[in-house]
Amino acid sequence: MTQMTPATGLAETTGAITLALNAAESRVQAAALRDGETLFAQEWHVPSQGTELLAPALADAFERMRLSLRDVRRIACVQGPGSFTGLRLALSTAAGMARALGARQAGLSYTQLLACGPLLPRGAVLWVLTHARRGLVHMQAFRMPGETADAADLTDIASAAPSPLPEALTPVEAAMLDAAVARMAAFQSGTGNPAAGSDNAAPPVYLMGSGATRNRAALAPALAALLPGARFLPARFDHPAPALLLPLAATAAYGPGDVQPLYVRPCDAEENLPALAAARGMDPDQARRELARLTSAPLADATLTGAP
């Protein structure tokens, strides 16, 4: 599935192109911004073919829009949490392009990107839950500004003040479902809750994301008992619109170094490494050393040497 949006206005401080990338879940997304204009915002639903698609898709998008990759001076990339393969794909692509083009890089939060999608009452607490693996979710709470821009109609706002972004209230963490419910309930009832109003009234609570949708049958009864006011958002918010990358990219902090992935939990291969090594006739200690070398290597270097 491909979506291309027309040129629209969005404030930016540089005349060069800013490119934004996301492959945290099953969609590969790319968007570009120049001189306050959205040049394109495109996505592909490719659960298992992102590696073969991203580079040629970017080249095709730039060619069709008659743009030059040489004009890319900033690259913002979602760094996590998300699929280990998807994050490594997008970040390695960004690192390689940055080296070739002399571009600066910035990391973006996937949970914050998702939180930019729904328009909720000001001050509401939104828990973003994304699927980590069976029975495990990545989770983070945000306070909603109530004024986020609609990604379907980002028109003529280049001269307007930037819309406030959802404010993170908790760090990103991985939790089993029962622990996730307990975490949400404790946060809402805890003293000094930063989301509470001046009268200490609890704000409305919402849940969204692939982790909430996939596990709704298990989460709903526990939430009904511990946090009865919580509401699930529709599954259409489980994946962000590609245009939502641009408000985050426009306000990100760029630097000369590579963006490192945000891995909230060990990957399945790391946890199962002794058994995997033994099945292949490898020494488990040697396998651990090799994994440590690969996971600590700079992204672009790892890509050049064929690392996953």
Side-chain angles (χ1 to χ4, degrees):
M1 172 182 164
T2 300
Q3 174 183 344
M4 183 76 77
T5 64
T8 58
L10 188 63
E12 193 195 26
T13 58
T14 176
I17 293 176
T18 295
L19 178 66
L21 304 175
N22 170 41
E25 291 195 275
S26 61
R27 287 166 170 76
V28 174
Q29 300 177 326
L33 182 73
R34 182 178 64 186
D35 294 335
E37 275 196 345
T38 300
L39 299 173
F40 63 83
Q42 195 167 358
E43 73 171 18
W44 305 264
H45 185 205
V46 283
S48 61
Q49 298 175 319
T51 302
E52 295 85 357
L53 178 140
L54 181 55
L58 284 174
D60 178 68
F62 272 75
E63 181 180 359
R64 283 193 290 154
M65 299 299 292
R66 298 183 179 180
L67 302 171
S68 173
L69 282 168
R70 292 190 299 270
D71 293 331
V72 174
R73 289 294 174 265
R74 306 196 305 180
I75 304 174
C77 193
V78 170
Q79 64 187 128
S83 157
F84 290 91
T85 301
L87 296 180
R88 201 76 178 174
L89 162 66
L91 290 170
S92 296
T93 300
M97 291 181 66
R99 281 164 168 71
L101 302 171
R104 297 170 71 83
Q105 299 178 71
L108 306 179
S109 163
Y110 185 57
T111 47
Q112 187 179 38
L113 177 65
L114 285 165
C116 289
L119 183 61
L120 297 175
R122 182 188 298 272
V125 172
L126 174 63
W127 285 92
V128 177
L129 277 64
T130 62
H131 175 72
R133 65 184 180 195
R134 185 173 180 178
L136 186 74
V137 296
H138 299 126
M139 61 185 300
Q140 188 172 24
F142 293 88
R143 175 166 34 211
M144 299 302 288
E147 297 177 1
T148 51
D150 185 345
D153 188 29
L154 291 174
T155 55
D156 195 25
I157 60 173
S159 60
S163 296
L165 297 173
E167 175 192 356
L169 296 174
T170 66
V172 180
E173 54 192 306
M176 300 300 290
L177 299 183
D178 54 351
V181 173
R183 176 76 177 91
M184 288 184 278
F187 177 85
Q188 293 305 127
S189 62
T191 58
N193 179 349
S198 57
D199 57 356
N200 290 322
V205 179
Y206 299 87
L207 282 76
M208 68 167 290
S210 58
T213 297
R214 288 193 187 201
N215 300 291
R216 182 167 181 168
L219 291 169
L223 285 169
L226 295 176
L227 204 60
R231 298 290 181 267
F232 287 83
L233 295 184
R236 68 175 181 271
F237 292 113
D238 287 358
H239 297 281
L244 287 175
L245 286 162
L246 296 176
L248 290 181
T251 58
Y254 292 82
D258 292 339
V259 176
Q260 298 304 310
L262 175 62
Y263 294 150
V264 183
R265 67 171 183 89
C267 67
D268 293 338
E270 184 176 351
E271 293 182 336
N272 299 326
L273 187 60
L276 292 172
R280 290 164 174 75
M282 296 177 61
D283 176 62
D285 290 336
Q286 180 184 358
R288 289 191 188 93
R289 289 192 294 271
E290 181 64 9
L291 178 63
R293 183 189 70 81
L294 292 173
T295 55
S296 61
L299 285 164
D301 295 345
T303 302
L304 293 173
T305 57

